[in-house]
Amino acid sequence: MKSKAEAELSHGLSMFKKYRNLLGELTRKSIKLKYRNSWLGILWSFFQPLLNMIVLSVVFGRLLGRNAAGVICYPVYLFSGRIIYEFFVTSTKQSMTAFRRNAAIIKKVYVPKYMYPLSSILSSYVTTMISMICYVMVWIFFKLTGVNGGDGLVFSWHFLFMVVPLFIMLIFSTGVGMILSVLCVYFRDIEYIWDVLMRLLMYLLPILYSIQRFGPKSRLRLVIKINPIYSMIELFRQCVLTGEWMNPKMLLYASVSAIIMLAIGLLIFNWKSDEIIYHL
């Protein structure tokens, strides 16, 4: 005889299989709505990170990138951090408003409610994969030309493992997104608070600068390292910049943090999901 937990898990998996095609449709809908009425459409997923990299490299390159310890080819270094950070910010913001955007459907048709924030996160993941095409092209350009220290970039078979930190970030973002999607139904101000926190997060992560700017005993360095997103960014950079195998301790910390966040997110979501419809 199955326990209650096993029965709930089995039911959850069967419902997911039943509605997996709908998840695909909701994901496609989210992507289309994001680029609706724009001339370039989904191509903005390619050009936007490129333009951001160019602007930030010009503004901060001389100040933070030149001769900085731990920085190999500042534009690519910057792009490497931004692509992880942007996915986290975009996916969490999209999942946060998922219920409000789909309120009319939720009130009329029964669908497992996690489909809405999950489809928002997956749509952001798809656009990030398109941005990765741009990233690879930029990496090749700097490697071949040697501009801005591009000749220091190392290509090895470890490059292929860059998908690992991206997948870990997907799990982590799903957990955070589930929590925010529920909180935003009850507290609309969360959306504005989160926007401010994400701006702060960008400067608390070594995206524009190297963590080696701070001494080994610096408290700020410790605060940065505690953040699991820092580990995910560094794991990605180890694969694509130096061609090294990912740091095992950092990989373990990032993976465990992502799994714990996903578990917390699912627990909170399951706890409050049945009451969401009354607050839309």
Side-chain angles (χ1 to χ4, degrees), residues 15 27 33 45 58 69 71 77 80 117 137-138 162 169 184 212 237 277:
M15 292 298 288
T27 302
L33 288 176
S45 297
V58 170
V71 175
Y77 177 89
S80 302
M137 293 177 67
V138 167
M162 64 182 177
M169 176 53 80
C184 201
Q212 294 184 31
R237 283 175 172 160
I277 194 170

Side-chain angles (χ1 to χ4, degrees), residues 33-79:
L33 288 176
K34 182 177 180 180
Y35 298 105
R36 184 176 56 183
N37 298 328
S38 67
W39 289 354
L40 292 178
I42 200 169
L43 286 176
W44 274 116
S45 297
F46 183 92
F47 289 110
Q48 187 175 12
L50 177 62
L51 295 174
N52 284 335
M53 182 207 70
I54 293 172
V55 172
L56 291 173
S57 295
V58 170
V59 174
F60 295 101
R62 289 181 177 272
L63 180 64
L64 300 173
R66 181 167 291 183
N67 300 322
V71 175
I72 301 174
C73 187
Y74 185 73
V76 180
Y77 177 89
L78 172 65
F79 203 162

Side-chain angles (χ1 to χ4, degrees), residues 69-114:
V71 175
I72 301 174
C73 187
Y74 185 73
V76 180
Y77 177 89
L78 172 65
F79 203 162
S80 302
R82 286 282 300 182
I83 203 164
I84 299 289
Y85 166 80
E86 283 293 334
F87 168 62
F88 177 72
V89 173
T90 304
S91 61
T92 52
K93 283 185 176 180
Q94 288 291 315
S95 60
M96 190 185 306
T97 58
F99 290 124
R100 291 215 308 269
R101 294 197 312 270
N102 296 282
I105 302 175
I106 294 172
K107 292 176 180 179
K108 295 177 181 178
V109 181
Y110 172 77
V111 174
K113 294 181 180 63
Y114 62 80

Side-chain angles (χ1 to χ4, degrees), residues 26-258:
L26 289 172
T27 302
R28 281 189 285 271
K29 177 188 172 184
S30 296
I31 296 172
K32 290 178 181 178
L33 288 176
K34 182 177 180 180
Y35 298 105
R36 184 176 56 183
N37 298 328
S38 67
W39 289 354
L40 292 178
I42 200 169
L43 286 176
W44 274 116
S45 297
F46 183 92
F47 289 110
Q48 187 175 12
L50 177 62
L51 295 174
N52 284 335
M53 182 207 70
I54 293 172
V55 172
L56 291 173
S57 295
V58 170
V59 174
F60 295 101
R62 289 181 177 272
L63 180 64
L64 300 173
R66 181 167 291 183
N67 300 322
V71 175
I72 301 174
C73 187
Y74 185 73
V76 180
Y77 177 89
L78 172 65
F79 203 162
S80 302
R82 286 282 300 182
I83 203 164
I84 299 289
Y85 166 80
E86 283 293 334
F87 168 62
F88 177 72
V89 173
T90 304
S91 61
T92 52
K93 283 185 176 180
Q94 288 291 315
S95 60
M96 190 185 306
T97 58
F99 290 124
R100 291 215 308 269
R101 294 197 312 270
N102 296 282
I105 302 175
I106 294 172
K107 292 176 180 179
K108 295 177 181 178
V109 181
Y110 172 77
V111 174
K113 294 181 180 63
Y114 62 80
M115 289 286 180
Y116 298 103
L118 183 58
S119 64
S120 298
I121 293 166
L122 289 177
S123 68
S124 297
Y125 194 71
V126 171
T127 55
T128 299
M129 291 300 103
I130 297 172
S131 299
M132 283 299 301
I133 299 173
C134 176
Y135 176 82
V136 171
M137 293 177 67
V138 167
W139 193 99
I140 293 172
F141 169 79
F142 282 101
K143 177 63 178 177
L144 293 178
T145 61
V147 178
N148 284 318
D151 51 356
L153 296 169
V154 178
F155 178 77
S156 74
W157 64 277
H158 292 127
F159 195 94
L160 300 174
F161 286 93
M162 64 182 177
V163 297
V164 174
L166 284 170
F167 182 70
I168 294 173
M169 176 53 80
L170 173 62
I171 297 172
F172 185 81
S173 299
T174 300
V176 176
M178 290 293 180
I179 297 171
L180 291 174
S181 65
V182 172
L183 288 178
C184 201
V185 171
Y186 293 91
F187 310 103
R188 301 294 174 92
D189 293 343
I190 290 291
E191 186 177 351
Y192 307 106
I193 296 172
W194 190 251
D195 188 56
V196 174
L197 289 176
M198 290 301 96
R199 290 170 187 255
L200 177 62
L201 178 65
M202 179 175 173
Y203 296 105
L204 286 177
L205 289 170
I207 297 173
L208 300 172
Y209 56 86
S210 169
I211 195 173
Q212 294 184 31
R213 293 177 65 91
F214 310 104
K217 297 182 180 180
S218 170
R219 290 183 180 179
L220 184 56
R221 183 176 180 135
L222 178 61
V223 170
I224 292 171
K225 283 192 169 184
I226 289 174
N227 189 340
I229 300 176
Y230 160 75
S231 297
M232 298 170 202
I233 290 174
E234 286 304 306
L235 289 169
F236 185 82
R237 283 175 172 160
Q238 287 168 11
C239 294
V240 299
L241 298 183
T242 58
E244 300 173 348
W245 176 244
M246 292 174 287
N247 184 295
K249 292 182 179 179
M250 201 172 283
L251 179 60
L252 178 63
Y253 179 67
S255 301
V256 172
S257 299

